[in-house]
Amino acid sequence: MRKVLVTGGLGYIGSHTVVELQNAGFEVVIIDNLSNSSMEVLDGIIEITGKIPLFEKIDLRQKSEVIQFFEKHQDISGIIHFAASKAVGESVENPLLYYENNLSTLIYLLQACNNYTIENFIFSSSCTVYGEPDKLPIDESAPVKKATSPYGNTKQISEEILNDSCKVSNLKSIALRYFNPIGAHDSSKIGELPLGIPQNLVPFITQTAAGLRDQLSVFGDDYPTKDGSCIRDYIHVVDLAKAHVVALERLLKNRNSNQFETFNIGTGKGSSVLEVVNAFEKITQQKLNYKIVDRRVGDVISVYADTKKANEVLGWKAENSMEDSLLSSWNWEKKVRNIK
Ligand code: NAD
Ligand code: WQD
């Protein structure tokens, strides 16, 4: 059986990807340090798939532990690397934490790829590398703009590290540039569980509807968009998870056209904040308490994916709409909060 290492496999996107990998017949080993996840996620994965992934609690910043891991597991055919810190605001306040966690972990894994002859590597990148797009929808040939946060910078530097590494070795790598992942598994057994106050729109909406937050702040209604609020491309986490399986197969079967490739992973459809709020009210048949407030510093106005390359070259397409995704987010929130 093909064995895959999934780092950050108990996190939000990682856990959904582990499910899809197991469904596709892969044997999965998870590394996670539980800094932003919990062991209960493993139970959810097992309940969904009926298969038990191997799990190693390792902090990937500990190089010696990374080496020990690969000494023990010498039959890994590919790595999907999710483990990272991801809060944009926190990265501005604590840049060294972000540079250390997001870059040292990547470097140690790539050194292991060299030393243990692992040639297939999928990386979690982000549409944040594009900054404010010059044209929409945005495709992969668009320039990478100067990052506006240390977090965003780690994604840009990571892509460069991967590209440089591919030039001098047999490494093949795909960076998937995610747009805005939302939603949860249909079973509501795994989903997004942010610690503390959610920074992202959809968890804030569902927590407000569940009564954990008083009011959603909509950051600005005076942008040059159809209704004045910002536009994003909201992608269902299960669709996103499936993109990783397709990307991994591409590398394992040597179907890649370059040793380093990038793909946009989005729906191709832009939705405004107010459209998301309205869709949520329609789906749940309840009024959401929200208020228009000032713009949030650093927000891009509008970004959504040109998905042609992902559709035609990778052979992957999003199946769920923003509404489908919102419904699954709400079902998950209700399950977590015991709401009938
Ligand atoms: P998450 O925080 O839910 O998952 C990351 C997991 O990695 C967590 O379980 C955490 O405990 C683990 N981890 C972090 N540092 C670690 C370390 N040093 N050693 C071992 N484990 C460690 O985040 P997510 O939303 O699932 O994001 C996964 C990846 O996708 C990240 O690289 C993130 O930057 C990227 N990404 C996320 C989004 C998004 O909006 N969620 C968008 C674009 C890209
Ligand atoms: C979406 C829209 C907000 C919260 C971030 C990272 C990005 C990527 C995905 C990792 C924006 C508005 C939000 C709220 C609001 N992560 N909003 N009220 O900012 O597009 O992207 O997550 O790579 O790097 O920057 O996502 O969910 O925070 O915001 O009005 O309480 O919702 O202004 O227009 P964002 P988000």
Side-chain angles (χ1 to χ4, degrees):
M1 207 193 283
R2 298 165 304 171
K3 192 162 160 185
V4 186
L5 167 62
V6 180
T7 75
L10 294 188
Y12 174 43
I13 306 168
S15 57
H16 289 83
T17 303
V18 170
V19 165
E20 296 308 320
L21 286 166
Q22 291 189 322
N23 286 344
F26 285 95
E27 183 187 353
V28 177
V29 195
I30 295 172
I31 287 182
D32 206 299
N33 67 353
L34 303 176
S35 57
N36 199 31
S37 53
S38 76
M39 286 304 288
E40 284 161 29
V41 179
L42 193 60
D43 301 334
I45 293 170
I46 296 167
E47 278 180 46
I48 294 169
T49 62
K51 294 176 192 162
I52 306 174
L54 296 175
F55 172 71
E56 302 260 9
K57 183 170 183 284
I58 290 172
D59 187 329
L60 290 163
R61 286 171 292 192
Q62 304 300 325
K63 189 171 178 174
S64 58
E65 291 187 33
V66 176
I67 294 170
Q68 269 174 30
F69 171 87
F70 284 99
E71 279 296 318
K72 190 168 146 194
H73 300 273
Q74 300 222 357
D75 51 349
I76 287 174
S77 51
I79 299 177
I80 306 185
H81 181 41
F82 292 102
S85 303
K86 64 164 180 177
V88 175
E90 187 188 43
S91 81
V92 175
E93 281 154 30
N94 198 347
L96 294 182
L97 172 77
Y98 276 67
Y99 286 116
E100 184 191 27
N101 202 33
N102 294 6
L103 298 180
S104 73
T105 57
L106 174 67
I107 291 167
Y108 298 157
L109 289 170
L110 291 178
Q111 286 170 338
C113 287
N114 266 335
N115 296 336
Y116 297 90
T117 336
I118 300 165
E119 296 181 347
N120 306 297
F121 197 97
I122 311 290
F123 177 70
S124 297
S125 191
S126 169
C127 68
T128 196
V129 300
Y130 296 123
E132 187 78 58
D134 298 322
K135 78 175 180 42
L136 285 166
I138 190 147
D139 70 34
E140 292 82 351
S141 66
V144 165
K145 298 263 181 78
K146 186 170 167 39
T148 53
S149 70
Y151 168 76
N153 207 17
T154 67
K155 293 299 174 193
Q156 298 189 359
I157 296 169
S158 296
E159 287 198 7
E160 287 175 3
I161 291 173
L162 286 165
N163 195 9
D164 290 343
S165 303
C166 287
K167 284 183 196 154
V168 293
S169 67
N170 290 330
L171 185 73
K172 293 168 282 163
S173 177
I174 292 178
L176 297 176
R177 293 175 173 167
Y178 315 157
F179 281 66
N180 287 55
I182 62 166
H185 194 265
D186 266 350
S187 64
S188 297
K189 291 187 191 297
I190 53 173
E192 188 173 14
L193 253 192
L195 296 174
I197 301 172
Q199 306 300 308
N200 295 113
L201 177 65
V202 172
F204 206 105
I205 288 178
T206 55
Q207 288 198 9
T208 306
L212 275 83
R213 313 277 153 214
D214 288 341
Q215 190 172 56
L216 167 75
S217 295
V218 171
F219 298 136
D221 69 347
D222 56 352
Y223 286 101
T225 60
K226 47 192 164 186
D227 59 22
S229 62
C230 292
I231 292 176
R232 298 287 183 274
D233 184 339
Y234 295 94
I235 170 85
H236 195 301
V237 67
V238 173
D239 283 330
L240 174 56
K242 288 178 180 167
H244 293 79
V245 180
V246 177
L248 183 64
E249 293 281 10
R250 178 176 174 85
L251 294 185
L252 289 170
K253 292 178 179 153
N254 288 312
R255 290 192 181 135
N256 51 306
S257 352
N258 293 103
Q259 268 178 267
F260 177 66
E261 297 179 305
T262 56
F263 291 98
N264 283 346
I265 303 297
T267 65
K269 188 170 178 287
S271 305
S272 74
V273 177
L274 291 170
E275 282 173 341
V276 174
V277 168
N278 291 335
F280 184 82
E281 289 184 327
K282 199 166 163 198
I283 287 161
T284 59
Q285 294 292 306
Q286 57 177 323
K287 186 88 198 74
L288 189 74
N289 186 21
Y290 73 90
K291 190 171 111 188
I292 311 285
V293 301
D294 287 347
R295 294 178 176 195
R296 180 171 72 178
V297 176
D299 271 339
V300 302
I301 302 168
S302 186
V303 62
Y304 51 95
D306 183 327
T307 58
K308 192 165 185 263
K309 189 176 173 200
N311 298 164
E312 294 177 8
V313 180
L314 188 60
W316 167 91
K317 197 174 190 321
E319 286 164 11
N320 291 282
S321 66
M322 177 266 283
E323 288 81 2
D324 299 330
S325 310
L326 277 181
L327 180 60
S328 68
S329 293
W330 178 232
N331 287 338
W332 162 248
E333 189 74 56
K334 283 197 293 186
K335 152 95 184 309
V336 172
R337 311 296 166 199
N338 273 321
I339 298 171
K340 294 286 163 234

